[in-house]
Amino acid sequence: MPRARVTSVGRDRPDADRLPGDLPRRVACEERIAWMLRVNRRYGAQQRFQRLGPFAEAYARAQRRPISVSQLSRWESGHTQVRLDVVRGYEKTLGLPPFTLVGVADAVFRNESNGLALTRLARPDRDPVEAERRMNHLLDRVLSADVMTGLDWDELTWALTSAGRVFLRTSDWRALVNRLLSEQLIASGGAWRFRNESAQRLLWLGSSRPHVIGACADLVRDRRSQIVIEPLVIMDVVDHPEASRLLIEQVLDPASDQALRGALLGSAAHVRLNLFRPEQLDRLGSAIADRLLGLDADAGIRQLAGEVIAELPVPVRTRVVRRIRRLLDDDLDLRHVLTARRTASIEVGNALAARVSASVVARLPDDVDTQVEDVLRQLVTEILCSPNPEARLHAAQLLGATPLADPMADVLCDETARAARTQDGSTIAAVLTALPFLGSARHRRIVEHMVLATGVPPLVRNSAAWNIGHLPGRSTDLFWRQAIARHSDAAHRRPGRDSTALRGLVYSLGITGHETLLATIAADPTMPPGARSAAQWWRDLPGVVSTSAKL
């Protein structure tokens, strides 16, 4: 007997599930996706596809229908909106794994949406009877603790948002949402993209939205939780009083420094979309000024705080800026965030993006047209100069879905040497954050170096520790033991101030599934208590969650 049952009532979704402002900013979305398709065709493994004619022939064979060169050109220029079958056709023709480009296109649409929205790459309709059978089958697998793949989640959540009214017991909604979030928080790459898109769909659906918000709040408020940024970032465009309350709460009294980062990051979009009440904006502005004037705000926190301040309504922003004016005289990076929305001046940022883009273009086998180079320069600017980690992530993810990823990773690693000479910690940290999306196993060395090096700024050290677990390849046990020993000593010497890197290393061990070292840390009485509890948290994850999150 199935444990849950869903009945589809009509095809029209209830008005309660529709939120205002859910249309993507069309030009930006389609230009980026068109660029991704064009770059994959022109610079992929098959040189003959540099010309549209041979690609059109191969595309027609893969899709079993004729296609004109002019139609391909319209897709690649962004003049015609692409559909799911178009992007899948590019994947098939180019020999890419299924949904490699679709997942990134979903994320682009999501990032450019002013509010909760469904992807415009609509999944195909099924026969209603077969759709209901598949939906119930997948629900039973979730609730029975069977293994779920990313594609399973994609199919299930699309079915739930397309079914009309969905009737599930409250306990089943909670179990489904908790299972999805548990997998999402420890997944990487394509596995994460599937689950992130699925979570956003459940936020869009009125019947599941309160359960997602509640699960995120529980994760953030549980001080044993080791991943709290993402549950807060998920709240960024959610028009719900509990979402607003959670973000304000974690700015005023954060459960950890990571919770503060997540709350600031989520608050930036929340302010931009006018989702806070006026009194909440006043409290937010006052709390951010207090944080900046305190002694414990590191460079990353200051950049995020500046991003939120820049979004505040003029009266609130003016009051905050007056309070922190002396700080702005000394903190050039924060001043750049407030005035240029970048971590560097416009001139320096433009020069950096132009230099990096030109170096990548020089490594390509063919002349690069203006359209490709212009978008490339914009993405590089976002990766290296945006104060918003979400903007950097989405730009790196898009670039990472193209053949430009590897040469870009090489160029960015070279750029860290230049940045080190000028003590530009922001650029180095931005590179380290981008490498998991762009790099290969050979790029781990520079991240390992930043983990172990002495004298590097905390922003760089912490970025290296939290990101090394997401890079391809594996580090040796010797490296991990040296890194843990070094940063546990630092955490003992300066409790609280130097524990972020150690927690990042434990996180990376958890992401990579290094059970032996996690067990060693959890059982070592000389380790800082926070590191021991973090290691045990990873060891306590249900096996089905850890297994599914890799698929």
Side-chain angles (χ1 to χ4, degrees):
M1 293 291 292
R3 299 178 56 184
R5 201 72 189 160
V6 173
T7 303
S8 304
V9 183
R11 299 296 298 172
D12 292 332
R13 302 181 182 92
D15 289 340
D17 288 338
R18 296 188 180 276
L19 297 180
D22 62 354
L23 292 177
R25 294 192 293 275
R26 185 181 179 105
V27 174
C29 288
E30 292 177 358
E31 183 180 4
R32 289 175 183 240
I33 293 171
W35 181 87
M36 177 179 69
L37 299 179
R38 185 180 184 89
V39 170
N40 270 283
R41 173 184 63 80
R42 289 199 61 183
Y43 302 105
Q46 300 192 53
Q47 291 187 0
R48 65 193 180 97
F49 288 163
Q50 290 178 4
R51 294 171 51 241
L52 276 172
F55 182 78
E57 295 174 1
Y59 184 98
R61 288 194 299 271
Q63 294 293 84
R64 297 182 179 179
R65 60 182 176 85
I67 189 72
S68 67
V69 168
S70 61
Q71 179 62 72
L72 291 171
S73 180
R74 287 194 293 273
W75 286 332
E76 293 188 5
S77 64
H79 291 155
T80 300
Q81 178 182 324
V82 298
R83 306 177 305 275
L84 175 69
D85 65 295
V86 173
V87 184
R88 289 286 292 118
Y90 270 76
E91 291 173 344
K92 292 177 184 177
T93 308
L94 295 168
L96 300 174
F99 282 74
T100 301
L101 303 181
V102 170
V104 175
D106 281 338
V108 170
F109 284 130
R110 177 77 53 207
N111 188 47
E112 296 291 334
S113 299
N114 286 321
L116 295 172
L118 291 180
T119 177
R120 297 219 307 274
L121 297 183
R123 282 26 175 187
D125 288 334
R126 286 177 177 264
D127 171 77
V129 175
E130 173 61 14
E132 185 173 325
R133 186 195 69 78
R134 281 290 298 167
M135 187 161 49
N136 282 293
H137 169 71
L138 291 170
L139 277 169
D140 286 343
R141 286 176 55 187
V142 171
L143 300 174
S144 301
D146 288 345
V147 170
M148 289 283 287
T149 68
L151 276 171
D152 290 335
W153 282 114
D154 185 83
E155 182 181 355
L156 173 58
T157 55
W158 185 262
L160 288 170
T161 54
S162 304
R165 290 177 177 82
V166 178
F167 301 100
L168 277 180
R169 295 174 298 184
T170 297
S171 59
D172 289 339
W173 272 125
R174 288 175 179 167
L176 184 153
V177 166
N178 285 328
R179 170 74 184 275
L180 174 58
L181 288 176
S182 296
E183 293 181 16
Q184 178 185 345
L185 297 182
I186 64 172
S188 295
W192 175 82
R193 282 192 290 271
F194 276 123
R195 289 164 175 83
N196 182 59
E197 174 66 20
S198 295
Q200 294 291 338
R201 291 174 188 167
L202 294 185
L203 273 171
W204 179 89
L205 187 66
S207 49
S208 54
R209 189 180 307 135
H211 302 293
V212 179
I213 296 172
C216 288
D218 290 343
L219 283 166
V220 172
R221 290 166 180 156
D222 182 354
R223 293 187 180 267
R224 297 171 301 171
S225 295
Q226 298 305 306
I227 305 175
V228 295
I229 291 181
E230 196 159 353
L232 286 161
V233 174
I234 290 172
M235 299 292 101
D236 60 354
V237 297
V238 180
D239 187 3
H240 192 284
E242 286 302 318
S244 303
R245 188 174 298 118
L246 179 63
L247 292 172
I248 290 288
E249 166 195 302
Q250 292 301 314
V251 173
L252 293 173
D253 184 25
S256 65
D257 58 347
Q258 295 298 97
L260 176 59
R261 294 174 198 277
L264 290 171
L265 184 52
S267 294
H270 222 67
V271 173
R272 185 175 66 252
L273 297 177
N274 198 30
L275 300 180
F276 284 123
R277 298 193 308 273
E279 63 272 22
Q280 290 177 319
L281 289 171
D282 289 333
R283 294 172 64 201
L284 180 66
S286 178
I288 289 175
D290 291 341
R291 291 284 174 191
L292 289 173
L293 294 171
L295 299 178
D296 58 348
D298 64 24
I301 293 291
R302 293 197 301 273
Q303 289 178 6
L304 285 170
E307 179 78 351
V308 180
I309 294 170
E311 296 285 1
L312 288 170
V314 173
V316 182
R317 184 169 70 241
T318 301
R319 290 195 294 271
V320 174
V321 170
R322 283 174 181 166
R323 286 191 60 192
I324 65 171
R325 188 166 298 283
R326 286 190 178 182
L327 177 63
L328 291 175
D329 292 338
D330 299 326
D331 192 331
L332 191 60
D333 289 345
L334 179 58
R335 193 157 75 234
H336 289 321
V337 172
L338 290 177
T339 56
R341 307 300 295 273
R342 294 183 179 184
T343 57
S345 69
I346 293 176
E347 295 78 10
V348 170
N350 287 346
L352 174 61
R355 182 173 66 247
V356 170
S357 300
S359 297
V360 172
V361 168
R363 299 175 186 225
L364 298 180
D366 187 27
D367 291 336
V368 178
D369 59 57
T370 303
Q371 179 192 27
V372 169
E373 192 166 7
D374 286 348
V375 176
L376 174 62
R377 192 178 301 112
Q378 180 181 354
L379 294 176
V380 172
T381 300
E382 293 171 10
I383 289 171
L384 296 181
C385 300
S386 174
N388 190 312
E390 282 288 285
R392 296 200 298 267
L393 179 151
H394 283 284
Q397 184 174 243
L398 179 60
L399 190 50
T402 73
L404 305 189
D406 196 62
M408 177 59 73
D410 289 340
V411 170
L412 290 181
C413 286
D414 293 342
E415 193 64 35
T416 60
R418 180 192 294 265
R421 289 194 297 271
T422 60
Q423 298 183 325
D424 182 0
S426 291
T427 295
I428 299 174
V431 170
L432 297 175
T433 303
L435 281 180
F437 300 95
L438 305 171
S440 59
R442 73 176 189 279
H443 296 110
R444 288 185 74 89
R445 288 183 302 167
I446 190 169
V447 187
E448 290 177 346
H449 170 73
M450 295 299 177
V451 169
L452 296 175
T454 58
V456 299
L459 179 64
V460 172
R461 179 177 65 239
N462 296 339
S463 295
W466 284 89
N467 283 292
I468 192 168
H470 290 290
L471 267 91
R474 294 184 68 85
S475 297
T476 65
D477 282 2
L478 176 62
F479 161 79
W480 286 116
R481 293 183 187 281
Q482 288 176 334
I484 293 294
R486 182 174 184 281
H487 290 290
S488 63
D489 288 344
H492 279 303
R493 289 195 302 271
R494 302 180 68 186
R497 291 184 61 83
D498 283 333
S499 62
T500 302
L502 180 60
R503 292 203 310 275
L505 289 171
V506 175
Y507 167 84
S508 290
L509 287 170
I511 288 293
T512 56
H514 206 310
E515 291 292 336
T516 302
L517 277 177
L518 287 172
T520 299
I521 294 169
D524 187 349
T526 68
M527 280 286 166
R532 295 180 63 190
S533 62
Q536 190 60 48
W537 182 88
W538 282 99
R539 297 190 70 217
D540 290 342
L541 285 174
V544 68
V545 170
S546 300
T547 299
S548 296
K550 295 179 173 63
L551 303 175

